[in-house]
Amino acid sequence: MIEAELKARVDAPEAVMKQLEDLAAGRAEVYQDTYYDAPDGRLEAGGQELRVRTIRSSASTRTVLTFKGAVVDEASGSKPEHETSVADAAAVQGVLLGLGYVPVISFEKHCRNYEFQAGGRRMLATLVRVPEIDGTFLEVETQAADDEVTDALQAVRAVLEGLGIESDALTRELYTDAVRHRRLRDGRHTPSG
């Protein structure tokens, strides 16, 4: 499946949150993301991502392993996504290290997630704050088959428009790049900061 997603910078996060709360109950979660790559950087060079994410909420902690393929829609940056839950975060990290992958960057995301139906699709809207990056972001995504990406992205755009998000607020900047640039500016060069 393709993760058909658009991301925007949000100028009025409280107003957007209020609108989202009218659509669904929000779920506060903190993501601890660690991205891995081969020592030669071939995953990033190919536009691919390999991530271990630990998700903490007031009710639970869980970990997922995600691989994202190269971009299939240049305008949105949408990618094929393969994700699975893992029972033991340390074990999966050990597996990745054993296979020769190395952690390249790790950071935290503070998220408020909303799941709802729109345009005949299951949508996930996430308000995101990354402590190392200025501002608040809104991600809206849905899963789509290869031949449904255009229609799925139209449905995602309709959700954003309904929330008052203009097309000039859209961004394809990756959190990994923004965090990396911030750390370089601040003189921190380690994967975890």
Side-chain angles (χ1 to χ4, degrees):
M1 295 295 280
I2 308 297
E3 178 188 55
E5 176 183 27
L6 293 170
K7 178 170 67 173
R9 285 191 169 270
V10 177
D11 292 329
E14 294 81 15
V16 172
M17 187 183 326
K18 184 179 180 321
Q19 289 179 292
L20 287 167
E21 293 286 344
D22 289 340
L23 295 172
R27 185 175 71 247
E29 296 177 322
V30 176
Y31 299 172
Q32 180 62 49
D33 288 351
T34 302
Y35 288 80
Y36 290 81
D37 203 340
D40 63 4
R42 69 177 169 264
L43 293 179
E44 184 175 357
Q48 301 169 319
E49 300 173 36
L50 180 59
R51 178 185 70 212
V52 175
R53 169 176 283 170
T54 299
I55 304 165
R56 291 185 300 280
S57 71
S58 61
S60 67
T61 298
R62 58 189 168 84
T63 300
V64 293
L65 173 66
T66 305
F67 174 75
K68 293 186 181 188
V71 168
V72 297
D73 180 82
E74 284 299 325
S76 67
S78 295
K79 298 179 170 192
E81 181 179 77
H82 308 279
E83 189 168 83
T84 188
S85 295
V86 296
D88 185 333
V92 79
Q93 290 166 351
V95 168
L96 295 176
L97 293 171
L99 290 171
Y101 294 103
V102 294
V104 291
I105 193 162
S106 183
F107 57 90
E108 202 170 76
K109 292 170 63 175
H110 297 246
C111 302
R112 189 156 184 86
N113 294 299
Y114 301 87
E115 294 184 55
F116 54 91
Q117 294 286 323
R121 299 184 160 280
R122 183 179 157 272
M123 296 284 177
L124 174 63
T126 305
L127 280 169
V128 178
R129 273 190 332 92
V130 177
E132 294 179 77
I133 304 171
D134 294 331
T136 300
F137 299 85
L138 175 63
E139 303 169 7
V140 179
E141 67 183 66
T142 189
Q143 297 294 312
D146 292 347
D147 61 348
E148 299 178 326
V149 173
T150 300
D151 291 341
L153 287 169
Q154 285 178 334
V156 168
R157 280 187 186 89
V159 169
L160 288 168
E161 288 170 8
L163 294 170
I165 304 297
E166 303 286 333
S167 61
D168 63 352
L170 296 177
T171 180
R172 284 204 45 211
E173 182 179 27
L174 301 173
Y175 298 117
T176 51
D177 291 344
V179 169
R180 194 177 285 128
H181 290 229
R182 178 64 178 258
R183 289 178 183 172
L184 286 172
R185 191 185 81 201
D186 293 348
R188 295 180 291 149
H189 303 286
T190 62
S192 62

